[in-house]
Amino acid sequence: MDILTALDPHSFSALFGAADLFAGLFAELTMGGLGSKAAFLVLAAIGLGLVIFFHELGHFAVAKWCDVRVERFSIGLGPVVWSKKWGETEYAISAVPFGGYVKMLGQDDADPSQLSSEEIAEDPRSYSAKPVWQRMLIISAGVTMNVLTAVLFFAGAFGLGVMRQAPVVGWVQPGSPAWTAGLRLGDVIETINDRDVNAFTDLNRGVALSRDAVNITGTHSDGAEFDYTIVPDLSGTRRFLGVGASADLKVAAIDIEGKPTAMPGSAAADAEPKFESKDQIVRLGDTKVDDFAAYVKYLAANRDQSVEYHVQRKSKSGEDDSTTTVTINVPARPARLLGLMADVNNLTGVIDDSPAQKAGLKPGDRLVRIDGEDVGQGIDPLILPHYFADRAGEEVEVTFTRQVPGGEREERTVMIVPNDRPGWVESGLPKRGVPLDVPAIGIAYHISERVIGVVEGSPADEAGIQNNDHLESISFTRPPGAPEDGLESEVETVKFLDSDNGRDVENYVYAFDTMQKFPNRKVKLTVRRENKLIDFEIEPSTTLENGWHLPMRGLALYPLVQELQAEDAGEAMAFGVSSTRNSIVDIYLTLRNLFTGDLSVRELRGPLGIAGIAVEVAQQGLAELLMFLGFLSVNLAVLNFLPIPVLDGGHMVFLIWEGVTRKKPNERVMTTAIYIGILFILTLMVTVIYLDIARMVTGG
């Protein structure tokens, strides 16, 4: 009996690391009109059946070559739903599509006693009558066939060309291992643990399947090479580096009503003329921009100015590939401010070899004054990423306090020369519980929920917010008739201080960023004053005298992708071999991490999970289908060769025992082992189906 088990795509196992690719078959055959879910179920059965067919064909062909009587060739497990007999063999399709088997005379998992039956062994065409080496060939033939077909599937995919997210950094989470090491926006990742990185998923997979430190090499956006050894964190259900892929300079449509190209109410939404999906940004003002890093650097340097976007737009006639250049004026994006300032907390991290570290700053230090201005009263801690970047190359006086062992906090002053690295620009950030970073000097800090300053005449002042109020939560409500903005709920509430598994989660930066991203939403601020909760309806201001501007203007961009295509058949086969080898290694690493706890069992996926993922990422092409079948083939080969009784690997263990001892295993031991194996497989199937259903119920 041979089975196919399932692992989550985000755990980067070979099978489900490609589940998103299987949608290519859906797109090819539905042609946009056969009904998505019904078509997918048919296509899923066809794809899975094809891979299992090749596996069983390997067993069948070698068994016939060894002159073994094959009684049944089945695609699927369980009750037979269709069968036809040709010659001595019954060909069948069984009810459960996640497996298959070749039933030979003298080898039947449902009746293990056949393997030790002397009566059956007397038949020269029985499996048990054949020498050990022939039985080893028969048992290993399925795995061999799947490995060979995987190479061909992968080679075909790379021959056609596959699109993958480029291994370019688009954001680095402040305080994460990647951030501390020095990875930054625009970095090109080239290798991880001496394995080439051709796509961003290669990096994610390498991190998720690691156990210790990972070695990452590549090139910074300025051309300088880097070589970092980083110890990932274990965050949630997988190992975590804290880095995300880059955006492209191609305008995308947001997946909300009307498919706008910019967040409703944002500066880009107010642009004239309007952006269109697939516009390609080529220049900003008079400056040519080639990548996302250059794009955000220009926007940061001109954040308080209107910017002329020059985009290339394809002809609407569809008759040719001609393009026209369209100039779009995008206004500046003033920050939406309440006019209150909160206290800054201790530094949560300092980037290795950064200006701050070179000046002596350490995690746990607390900023007090910048160029003589009190942080949190004279200068808003939210604006420090801009403040330092604007002074790149100049000396900035930084006063901070540090806890002295056994004593009071000690005040110190240092001079820091910032780099030219802007803040508030990285896509994908901020996230809940993530601190604010100041890229120009390499520090990160949370902002307290305690108000220590209220700007006179500001919305906060007019509402009656006072010093020493504690910010409890902020709610964002979509007014009746307002356009959809991507938030699932009509009222989105963010607690400034939350709890997660017993640890405090500080969300001030996330709350502020949410207020910027959804300008059409009404704001309600809840504060705690003398143990009483007070609600304030507040309209954020964009015209405060001490206001400032955000670089990013709300424009949606596609992820940066690149095509990986072999130049000839030889290179395609080389891609096929390397992809097969990498997939085999990945599956074994995944299993290892599951057993060691570095990867949670919650990362397992069953048949429902496969279907859900594939439907979500439909509309792919033939190359992606071939990639999926390649991953599927490797998955079937590796998992079925594990030393589990009832699987090919379990049978191989028995054969090795027989080859070494020159006698068959004890019938009782073999029967017990096989039944234990069957119980294990059934438990696995029940587990993954339960996880699928639970995930559907909770929406996780």
Side-chain angles (χ1 to χ4, degrees):
M1 178 175 69
D2 299 293
I3 67 152
L4 187 64
T5 55
L7 298 165
D8 180 287
H10 304 295
S11 71
F12 313 106
S13 70
L15 169 61
F16 290 98
D20 56 338
L21 309 177
F22 186 51
L25 181 59
F26 171 78
E28 289 289 318
L29 298 186
T30 59
M31 298 295 289
L34 293 183
S36 60
K37 290 188 178 180
F40 168 73
L41 292 175
V42 173
L43 298 171
I46 293 173
L48 184 57
L50 182 62
V51 173
I52 295 173
F53 169 77
F54 282 124
H55 183 97
E56 300 306 333
L57 182 63
H59 291 309
F60 177 82
V62 176
K64 286 291 190 180
W65 180 74
C66 293
D67 195 29
V68 173
R69 178 184 176 90
V70 178
E71 298 176 340
R72 178 181 290 168
F73 183 112
S74 175
I75 300 299
L77 304 173
V80 173
V81 296
W82 176 90
S83 69
K84 186 173 181 61
K85 192 165 186 176
W86 282 288
E88 64 184 15
T89 304
E90 176 192 13
Y91 299 88
I93 295 177
S94 299
V96 182
F98 292 87
Y101 61 93
V102 170
K103 181 179 179 295
M104 296 169 281
L105 178 64
Q107 197 277 325
D108 185 356
D109 291 324
D111 183 10
S113 64
Q114 288 192 21
L115 288 169
S116 56
S117 171
E118 294 183 4
E119 180 181 351
I120 293 177
E122 291 177 358
D123 189 326
R125 296 196 64 210
S126 71
Y127 169 83
S128 55
K130 300 302 178 182
V132 170
W133 69 269
Q134 285 192 358
R135 282 179 279 156
M136 284 184 170
L137 286 179
I138 294 170
I139 287 299
S140 60
V143 168
T144 303
M145 179 65 83
N146 278 139
V147 171
L148 292 175
T149 54
V151 172
L152 295 177
F153 283 139
F154 284 132
F158 284 108
L160 293 171
V162 294
M163 303 302 295
R164 292 291 177 269
Q165 276 192 295
V168 179
V169 174
W171 56 265
V172 184
Q173 181 170 308
S176 68
W179 179 89
T180 302
L183 280 173
R184 56 183 185 254
L185 184 150
D187 286 354
V188 179
I189 309 297
E190 296 171 357
T191 69
I192 178 169
N193 292 339
D194 296 323
R195 293 173 67 180
D196 290 342
V197 175
N198 296 312
F200 205 86
T201 50
D202 294 339
L203 173 67
N204 288 336
R205 182 176 58 245
V207 171
L209 301 181
S210 65
R211 293 193 66 186
D212 302 309
V214 295
N215 178 255
I216 296 174
T217 67
T219 307
H220 290 305
S221 58
D222 60 5
E225 295 181 351
F226 62 82
D227 186 334
Y228 297 135
T229 298
I230 308 173
V231 179
D233 286 338
L234 182 59
S235 176
T237 59
R238 65 181 67 89
R239 293 172 67 79
F240 167 80
L241 199 63
V243 62
S246 177
D248 199 355
L249 297 183
K250 181 182 290 185
V251 177
I254 300 173
D255 189 19
I256 57 177
E257 183 180 359
K259 303 290 185 181
T261 55
M263 183 61 67
S266 67
D270 295 335
E272 290 295 340
K274 299 298 182 184
F275 286 98
E276 294 184 5
S277 180
K278 298 185 179 179
D279 283 349
Q280 182 72 39
I281 301 169
V282 293
R283 282 191 299 120
L284 297 176
D286 295 326
T287 302
K288 185 176 182 292
V289 289
D290 296 318
D291 53 40
F292 185 67
Y295 170 78
V296 299
K297 186 173 183 179
Y298 182 94
L299 291 181
N302 298 275
R303 61 183 181 273
D304 59 348
Q305 305 292 323
S306 293
V307 172
E308 282 190 343
Y309 281 63
H310 301 273
V311 303
Q312 287 185 346
R313 181 172 296 172
K314 286 189 175 181
S315 169
K316 293 184 178 180
S317 66
E319 298 177 356
D320 54 41
D321 294 328
S322 63
T323 61
T324 58
T325 300
V326 180
T327 300
I328 302 173
N329 188 64
V330 181
R333 183 189 178 193
R336 303 176 74 214
L337 302 175
L338 299 178
L340 58 83
M341 285 186 279
D343 201 2
V344 65
N345 285 339
N346 295 346
L347 301 185
T348 59
V350 178
I351 295 176
D352 294 343
D353 203 34
S354 63
Q357 188 188 65
K358 291 176 180 177
L361 269 69
K362 299 178 180 180
D365 293 344
R366 178 175 294 189
L367 301 179
V368 176
R369 289 183 298 278
I370 307 297
D371 284 336
E373 294 283 345
D374 291 337
V375 176
Q377 291 181 322
I379 186 170
D380 189 341
L382 288 170
I383 203 174
L384 290 183
H386 292 331
Y387 186 92
F388 281 99
D390 290 343
R391 287 155 182 77
E394 305 174 8
E395 283 193 336
V396 177
E397 184 182 82
V398 177
T399 301
F400 62 95
T401 62
R402 175 176 297 169
Q403 181 65 51
V404 177
E408 300 292 330
R409 294 189 70 89
E410 178 181 274
E411 186 172 292
R412 303 182 184 184
T413 298
V414 295
M415 305 302 293
I416 299 179
V417 179
N419 293 323
D420 185 15
R421 292 184 55 199
W424 289 107
V425 295
E426 300 190 47
S427 61
L429 293 172
K431 298 177 181 291
R432 288 182 182 270
V434 172
L436 179 65
D437 76 317
V438 183
I441 63 171
I443 62 172
Y445 50 81
H446 282 292
I447 297 175
S448 167
E449 79 282 5
R450 184 172 71 92
V451 178
I452 61 172
V454 179
V455 177
E456 185 177 353
S458 68
D461 183 40
E462 293 176 357
I465 294 175
Q466 302 173 6
N467 284 349
N468 293 316
D469 282 348
H470 285 258
L471 304 175
E472 188 75 16
S473 66
I474 185 168
S475 297
F476 305 98
T477 302
R478 183 157 67 96
E484 290 185 17
D485 53 20
L487 287 179
E488 294 182 359
S489 59
E490 294 295 316
V491 180
E492 182 79 6
T493 299
V494 178
K495 291 185 176 181
F496 283 92
L497 189 60
D498 211 343
S499 178
D500 180 24
N501 293 326
R503 68 182 182 89
D504 288 340
V505 178
E506 298 174 272
N507 289 319
Y508 189 100
V509 179
Y510 175 74
F512 175 83
D513 184 66
T514 302
M515 188 168 68
Q516 310 310 311
K517 288 179 177 175
F518 304 98
N520 288 340
R521 295 216 166 201
K522 298 293 184 181
V523 175
K524 182 178 75 173
L525 192 64
T526 300
V527 306
R528 179 164 42 85
R529 182 184 300 165
E530 297 178 353
N531 295 322
K532 293 182 180 180
L533 295 180
I534 307 173
D535 293 334
F536 298 94
E537 301 283 347
I538 298 182
E539 179 64 34
S541 172
T542 57
T543 59
L544 287 180
E545 185 177 344
N546 64 338
W548 48 283
H549 293 76
L550 292 163
M552 309 307 287
R553 309 196 179 199
L555 186 64
L557 299 172
Y558 278 105
L560 179 63
V561 297
Q562 62 184 14
E563 184 177 42
L564 301 177
Q565 184 174 20
E567 294 184 357
D568 51 41
E571 187 175 21
M573 288 300 294
F575 269 123
V577 171
S578 64
S579 295
T580 301
R581 181 187 64 244
N582 290 342
S583 297
I584 291 172
V585 172
D586 290 343
I587 294 175
Y588 279 119
L589 291 175
T590 297
L591 294 171
R592 181 201 67 187
N593 283 15
L594 282 170
F595 281 110
T596 61
D598 290 321
L599 197 65
S600 170
V601 70
R602 287 178 292 171
E603 295 296 297
L604 292 170
R605 292 295 190 275
L608 299 177
I610 304 172
I613 293 168
V615 168
E616 287 179 8
V617 293
Q619 310 298 323
Q620 301 284 337
L622 178 59
E624 305 294 10
L625 168 63
L626 293 175
M627 287 293 291
F628 174 77
L629 294 179
F631 282 121
L632 207 61
S633 296
V634 175
N635 192 89
L636 185 58
V638 173
L639 295 182
N640 277 290
F641 217 60
L642 294 176
I644 299 172
V646 87
L647 300 183
D648 293 342
H651 287 299
M652 186 61 72
V653 171
F654 292 142
L655 289 171
I656 292 172
W657 169 269
E658 184 177 344
V660 172
T661 64
R662 305 287 184 177
K663 60 181 180 180
K664 294 182 183 294
N666 179 276
E667 178 182 344
R668 184 175 179 182
V669 172
M670 185 182 300
T671 301
T672 301
I674 288 177
Y675 286 146
I676 290 174
I678 292 174
L679 179 62
F680 173 81
I681 298 305
L682 291 175
T683 301
L684 176 62
M685 292 302 295
V686 170
T687 299
V688 295
I689 291 173
Y690 167 78
L691 289 171
D692 283 346
I693 294 174
R695 204 171 286 113
M696 292 170 64
V697 171
T698 61

